[in-house]
Amino acid sequence: FRALFGLWRHHFARAELQRGREIGEELLQRAQASQDGDHLLVAHAALGMSLYFLGEIAAARGHLEEGVRLYDPEWHRSQASVYGRDAGLSGYCYLAQALWALGYPDQARNRMEAALSLARRQTDPYTLTLVLYYVSVLHNYRGEWQESQAQNEAMLALATERGFPLWAAAGAMN
């Protein structure tokens, strides 16, 4: 499962979204067959993220909501060390983006506030950086410029301090 997830990340990072979707579907099939809660969470997040970027926002929302429903911050805390980031909090971020795109700005904001609250209690700086970025983006979408700038500055500081060049570059463009 982990190797297949790594393959999904490879294709997702290269914007090979259709292949990422196929692998996300395979991840979900394997997770459903094993009924492993951790794998189900990761699979729903991966497939939801792939569908989001393919423009299948309603389908993405369903998978992302299921991943968030399965997420237990205490139980899944160790996932960041296994998968490179906290899949539950990633799911929250992409769910908020999907909700925004579907016309639910208040629900999107509620999800991002929940994600930020959870991320601040975690010990994984990479996931916190990711969440801060998406919080900033959502505030930007909502026209909340000061909030967007404040979150972006916090994200840039953390990305710079921890040596996350991807997020530092993203923050410089935001």
Side-chain angles (χ1 to χ4, degrees):
F1 188 89
R2 289 181 189 174
L4 190 59
F5 178 78
L7 188 59
W8 172 83
R9 270 190 83 167
H10 167 79
H11 289 288
F12 185 77
R14 294 172 50 95
E16 296 167 351
L17 300 175
Q18 188 55 43
R19 183 66 182 125
R21 175 194 189 151
E22 293 164 2
I23 296 168
E25 289 169 346
E26 186 175 345
L27 284 167
L28 185 56
Q29 288 172 354
R30 288 180 184 212
Q32 288 170 333
S34 70
Q35 285 302 299
D36 182 304
D38 291 344
H39 290 175
L40 283 166
L41 167 61
V42 170
H44 278 294
L47 184 53
M49 291 165 61
S50 293
L51 291 168
Y52 174 82
F53 282 106
L54 284 166
E56 297 180 37
I57 309 299
R61 177 186 179 185
H63 286 287
L64 295 165
E65 284 180 336
E66 183 61 15
V68 165
R69 187 189 70 74
L70 293 167
Y71 182 58
D72 178 337
E74 295 303 316
W75 178 258
H76 293 111
R77 178 174 289 191
S78 66
Q79 277 192 333
S81 64
V82 174
Y83 295 105
R85 69 173 81 171
D86 184 312
L89 289 175
S90 294
Y92 266 95
C93 292
Y94 283 95
L95 176 56
Q97 299 298 307
L99 289 167
W100 172 264
L102 291 168
Y104 302 103
D106 292 335
Q107 289 181 38
R109 184 180 182 147
N110 290 341
R111 290 297 184 176
M112 286 308 305
E113 288 175 355
L116 185 56
S117 175
L118 290 167
R120 285 191 169 139
R121 289 184 286 195
Q122 300 288 344
T123 58
D124 173 42
Y126 187 85
T127 300
L128 177 57
T129 304
L130 175 145
V131 171
L132 285 167
Y133 172 77
Y134 281 107
V135 169
S136 174
V137 167
L138 187 65
H139 281 303
N140 196 4
Y141 290 166
R142 294 173 54 89
E144 299 163 346
W145 314 123
Q146 290 178 330
E147 293 92 338
S148 178
Q149 182 178 359
Q151 298 302 334
N152 193 57
E153 287 174 2
M155 186 275 300
L156 275 169
L158 185 57
T160 301
E161 172 190 324
R162 293 299 188 131
F164 303 141
L166 168 69
W167 295 113
M173 293 185 295
N174 189 15

